[in-house]
Amino acid sequence: MRKAITPIIATILLILITIITASAAFVWISSVQTSLEESAGGAILGSLGGCSRVSLISMRGDRVIVQNTGCDDISNITLLIDNILTSYDLSAPLSPGNSAIISFSNLLVGEDHCVKVLLSNGGESQLCSSASRNTLDAGYGYGCLNSSECGSGESCCSHVCFNPCNNDTECGIGFTCINPGGCNAQCQAISECTNNSECNDSNPCTNNICSTGSCTYPALTPNGQYTGCNSINYACMSGTCTNTCGDATCQSWENVSICLSDCGSNCLETQGSCTGKGVWFTGGVNSINNNYCACCGDDALNDIFYNATTSCSYGGIIYDSDSIAIQDKYGNNINHSSGSGVCELKNNTWMTSNGSFTLTKNYIVGLWPQDLAVGDFNKDGFLDYVFSDSAGNISVLLNDGSGDFGVEANYTANTTPWSVEVGDVNKDSNLDIVVTDLVGNYVTVFLNDGSGHFTKEGDFSTGQMPWDVSAGDFNRDSWLELAVANFNESKISILTNGHDGTFTLSDNYMVNEYPYTISTEDFNNDGWPDLAVTSATSNYVSVLLNYGNGIFAPKIDYFSGNTSNQVGGADFNNDGWPDLAVDYYNDIENFASVNVLFNNQDGSFTSNANYSVGIYPEGISVGDYNNDNWLDIIIASYNESIISVLMNNQDGTFNLNANYTVGTNPWDTIIGDFNNKGGLDILVLNNNNTVSLISNIGISGTGGPCCEVGDTFNNATHSCCNGVFKSGSC
């Protein structure tokens, strides 16, 4: 979590703000090279010949955003702005699925406007916006309140006038209509293949589709297999389609629960042989990793598979795959997909602790360390950490496995490196580093070579004074994007990944003045990452929900208390919905607290309670510090040089467990099992050029906290003695 504004930082900010001048309004257009899966498109234009379509998504302030939702390139877009004609010849053709942001100075904020988009092939449509909604903080995608404001045949979907495709014919050859007729409708390219070698039976690849060639589409036979054909696209795998169930070979297209004569004999498993040692899966198996055998149990096979209602995992553990995230088999709010849930399902005992800590060591680090992030950079199974400093560096310290960190390796960043984020930005399975630069107005990317050594990839532009950065796959293209809080612009920027670890600024969203920290969570449980943002001078935390296409709705503010700087998102009451923890500081009353806001199970929030902490709170970190399956809160106090541990009462409320003295003026915290003993430890970044390691001493020994054969460890009251759980010591 990021720092609050200390007197020293405030002085720096005054200098920085003085030297950053406001730029004049200008006219520009840029193509946003992303593959947006537009689910809330605007007024889609008709076409004359071919399948050209343009979506006028919205206008906001002095901008409109359009997207090519057709199937051919567009090289010219003409805008009729309040009946004034303006034509744009794009510097590069706008390809299907890509977007363009068009900005111009004559679209004044706070006035009624109508914008008509015209295509060279004759297609056109109009979108009007009233003064009350044409503001800088209205956000993209806010073009209507109800369908009466839209044109003929259009509907108001997520505040956008939308005329969806209704069938594949409207989209053209090589494209299909996804979610026809609904708010999520769009024309999407069919890319079954790119060349003939990718087609079964060497059938030709035409318009990205494998032709059927000489193979006919077979039907599903009564014995549950596809007569020798691939069950994904039903094309012949080789030769002619024949019925192979009964040939004593378990094929990939055969339903292993039905074709027992093959899969049962091949794996030496039948439904009868499974009884007594496991659970036999009926109704088909959707994903399989155990030689196509349907028995989940002690069969010496790697049992990881599932059907529509039940899953087999962890070598024979059964759980309900319909509600894996919060499955509660024993009524004790335990997630049975990992950790203590798996321990319980194996009939072992999970040991809790009292979440007590001790100061293990203070490490001397670089000048004025700013921000912390953690990750296993050299892939040795131990957590390392990185921090930024005021000397223009990021410093990486590798863990030896015991919580001792080696000599810091410094990498030159830029003038004022600030917020640090960790993630695999180029998809090479190594954790990379992203750091913002306050004066340079960009993020710098450092790529990991896999051994914990880094190379500077480049600098990528943001807004003014990027204070915080958070990573997430916002458009669900399987590549990490970046959300950046621009302190001096009252907006957050989204930087889209170029699918190679480089980034392009693609969108800005207005938030409250001086945005400070960002938390990325799926707040409305729709599978798309959302954002929560605090601001340095605001009494509110802003939530921006993802429309389901990488574009965010306008902010919604929730009261969080005076001067709320830090925010953390997590499920505190174990209802399966991420809640919010926000710090609160009143300098007049000299009072500080953490305010917890519960999720209303729809992505909106209600304040629950405030919990008093040390003055000038900094760096919220959330984790289960006592292994009781309920998330607790750590927060530092800059003025008092302590960290406070707020323990969850197993209902989403908290009590102050203890305060621990750390280095002088702490302003950031990060958590992880740094000493490899099974409990969450804490690293604290201090203003006296030190990092404090606070070790969790709730459990000591080896193998915990799940008591299995070979494990010997203990907490304050109980022990695990070679897998045997007992009171007292071994």
Side-chain angles (χ1 to χ4, degrees):
M1 296 300 165
R2 307 291 92 78
K3 296 73 56 189
I5 301 178
T6 66
I8 296 174
I9 298 174
T11 302
I12 296 174
L13 287 178
L14 289 174
I15 296 173
L16 292 173
I17 292 172
T18 301
I19 66 174
I20 296 177
T21 60
S23 59
F26 60 94
V27 180
W28 63 279
I29 176 169
S30 62
S31 178
V32 184
Q33 298 303 318
T34 60
S35 297
L36 296 177
E37 296 181 359
E38 184 60 58
S39 65
I44 292 183
L45 306 184
S47 62
L48 295 178
C51 55
S52 297
R53 287 173 172 267
V54 166
S55 171
L56 173 57
I57 294 178
S58 70
M59 66 179 76
R60 189 215 70 180
D62 59 354
R63 301 181 182 185
V64 296
I65 179 169
V66 297
Q67 183 187 13
N68 184 349
T69 53
C71 61
D72 54 5
D73 291 349
I74 297 172
S75 58
N76 177 276
I77 294 179
T78 299
L79 294 178
L80 197 62
I81 307 168
D82 298 334
N83 293 319
I84 299 175
L85 191 65
T86 305
S87 180
Y88 290 98
D89 288 319
L90 303 182
S91 58
L94 188 63
S95 302
N98 291 335
S99 301
I101 301 172
I102 303 175
S103 177
F104 37 83
S105 59
N106 59 326
L107 186 64
L108 299 178
V109 175
E111 295 186 6
D112 295 341
H113 294 293
C114 283
V115 176
K116 179 181 288 187
V117 177
L118 309 173
L119 278 181
S120 58
N121 68 1
E124 65 177 58
S125 186
Q126 178 170 288
L127 178 64
C128 294
S129 179
S130 65
S132 61
R133 285 186 279 117
N134 187 31
T135 62
L136 286 175
D137 60 356
Y140 291 125
Y142 198 79
C144 59
L145 296 177
N146 52 64
S147 296
S148 64
E149 299 181 7
C150 300
S152 176
E154 297 176 342
S155 299
C156 186
C157 299
S158 300
H159 300 301
V160 174
C161 290
F162 190 60
N163 182 11
C165 60
N166 294 296
N167 51 62
D168 292 346
T169 303
E170 295 182 5
C171 294
I173 298 175
F175 288 77
T176 183
C177 182
I178 305 299
N179 302 314
C183 283
N184 295 327
Q186 62 170 309
C187 293
Q188 188 174 92
I190 301 172
S191 60
E192 184 178 70
C193 60
T194 57
N195 55 69
N196 293 348
S197 64
E198 296 178 2
C199 297
N200 294 314
D201 257 8
S202 298
N203 291 326
C205 178
T206 306
N207 293 325
N208 299 117
I209 300 175
C210 289
S211 67
T212 59
S214 60
C215 178
T216 58
Y217 292 169
L220 181 67
T221 62
N223 59 8
Q225 46 84 46
Y226 289 95
T227 61
C229 292
N230 187 310
S231 62
I232 297 176
N233 56 18
Y234 311 128
C236 284
M237 298 180 69
S238 62
T240 59
C241 296
T242 59
N243 188 330
T244 61
C245 188
D247 65 359
T249 301
C250 192
Q251 304 287 359
S252 61
W253 57 82
E254 292 176 335
N255 186 316
V256 296
S257 298
I258 301 175
C259 196
L260 300 180
S261 59
D262 290 352
C263 297
S265 60
N266 188 51
C267 297
L268 302 179
E269 283 188 2
T270 63
Q271 188 165 3
S273 68
C274 182
T275 303
K277 69 173 184 177
V279 174
W280 186 261
F281 276 58
T282 60
V285 174
N286 297 5
S287 180
I288 194 160
N289 190 23
N290 70 334
N291 297 330
Y292 306 105
C293 302
C295 181
C296 176
D298 186 15
D299 53 11
L301 294 169
N302 184 20
D303 290 347
I304 303 175
F305 54 88
Y306 62 94
N307 60 21
T309 60
T310 311
S311 296
C312 173
S313 189
Y314 309 102
I317 302 302
I318 306 295
Y319 58 92
D320 178 4
S321 61
D322 283 340
S323 54
I324 182 175
I326 55 171
Q327 199 271 339
D328 193 10
K329 183 173 182 179
Y330 299 104
N332 54 5
N333 289 294
I334 289 181
N335 177 343
H336 287 92
S337 64
S338 63
S340 59
V342 173
C343 182
E344 182 178 67
L345 287 171
K346 291 181 178 179
N347 295 318
N348 295 322
T349 302
W350 182 268
M351 293 183 66
T352 62
S353 72
N354 60 0
S356 56
F357 297 85
T358 185
L359 175 60
T360 301
K361 189 173 182 179
N362 282 318
Y363 297 92
I364 298 176
V365 294
L367 177 67
W368 278 14
Q370 302 297 336
D371 191 32
L372 272 174
V374 64
D376 182 7
F377 298 127
N378 57 355
K379 303 172 77 168
D380 62 354
F382 307 125
L383 289 177
D384 315 305
Y385 73 91
V386 58
F387 67 88
S388 57
D389 65 30
S390 297
N393 301 316
I394 61 166
S395 300
V396 176
L397 289 90
L398 301 180
N399 192 339
D400 68 0
S402 66
D404 284 333
F405 297 89
V407 177
E408 61 190 68
N410 295 321
Y411 299 91
T412 301
N414 286 292
T415 307
T416 49
W418 201 252
S419 173
V420 181
E421 178 71 304
V422 169
D424 181 10
V425 300
N426 61 348
K427 290 183 67 173
D428 64 352
S429 300
N430 301 313
L431 290 177
D432 309 305
I433 298 171
V434 177
V435 58
T436 67
D437 188 85
L438 290 185
V439 173
N441 297 329
Y442 41 69
V443 295
T444 302
V445 173
F446 291 86
L447 297 181
N448 189 342
D449 67 1
S451 66
H453 294 90
F454 295 84
T455 301
K456 184 176 178 180
E457 171 69 10
D459 301 325
F460 306 98
S461 296
T462 65
Q464 294 183 19
M465 200 174 290
W467 194 271
D468 192 21
V469 58
S470 182
D473 185 7
F474 302 125
N475 60 7
R476 284 177 52 176
D477 63 351
S478 79
W479 293 80
L480 286 177
E481 286 81 47
L482 302 175
V484 179
N486 301 305
F487 187 85
N488 205 35
E489 283 191 296
S490 302
K491 66 175 65 171
I492 60 172
S493 297
I494 302 299
L495 278 67
T496 304
N497 197 319
H499 293 184
D500 56 3
T502 64
F503 293 89
T504 302
L505 198 162
S506 59
D507 257 322
N508 288 312
Y509 298 91
M510 300 304 298
V511 290
N512 294 317
E513 193 175 27
Y514 305 126
Y516 206 78
T517 58
I518 303 177
S519 178
T520 301
E521 295 284 347
D522 181 9
F523 293 117
N524 58 354
N525 274 349
D526 64 351
W528 295 80
D530 309 306
L531 301 173
V533 186
T534 61
S535 299
T537 59
S538 172
N539 298 337
Y540 298 89
V541 58
S542 301
V543 174
L544 294 84
L545 297 179
N546 195 323
Y547 275 134
N549 53 11
I551 297 177
F552 293 88
K555 69 179 178 69
I556 300 176
D557 290 338
Y558 300 94
F559 182 78
S560 54
N562 185 53
T563 313
S564 299
N565 290 330
Q566 311 292 324
V567 59
D571 182 11
F572 296 119
N573 57 357
N574 275 354
D575 66 350
W577 295 79
D579 310 304
L580 293 172
V582 187
D583 75 356
Y584 167 96
Y585 177 57
N586 189 319
D587 54 355
I588 297 176
E589 299 178 2
N590 204 32
F591 173 78
S593 68
V594 172
N595 186 10
V596 174
L597 290 79
F598 280 167
N599 195 319
N600 296 321
Q601 299 190 356
D602 59 3
S604 65
F605 295 87
T606 301
S607 180
N608 176 258
N610 290 315
Y611 303 95
S612 179
V613 293
I615 300 302
Y616 219 146
E618 305 282 358
I620 291 177
S621 289
V622 175
D624 182 8
Y625 301 113
N626 59 351
N627 296 312
D628 67 348
N629 289 286
W630 293 81
L631 292 176
D632 313 304
I633 297 172
I634 293 284
I635 191 165
S637 167
Y638 182 89
N639 280 16
E640 298 180 33
S641 298
I642 59 173
I643 60 168
S644 300
V645 180
L646 299 175
M647 284 296 177
N648 198 318
N649 295 319
Q650 299 189 354
D651 58 4
T653 65
F654 296 84
N655 68 82
L656 178 61
N657 183 59
N659 292 320
Y660 298 92
T661 300
V662 293
T664 304
N665 303 133
W667 58 20
D668 198 15
T669 66
I670 203 80
I671 64 171
D673 183 10
F674 298 110
N675 57 14
N676 203 34
K677 292 185 177 180
L680 288 178
D681 311 308
I682 308 166
L683 283 177
V684 184
L685 195 67
N686 305 304
N687 194 32
N688 64 343
N689 304 332
T690 63
V691 171
S692 300
L693 174 61
I694 312 296
S695 299
N696 193 322
I697 58 174
I699 292 179
S700 60
T702 59
C706 183
C707 186
E708 302 185 62
V709 175
D711 294 341
T712 300
F713 55 88
N714 64 276
N715 61 18
T717 58
H718 293 78
S719 297
C720 175
C721 308
N722 192 22
V724 178
F725 178 75
K726 59 182 294 185
S727 297
S729 63
C730 293

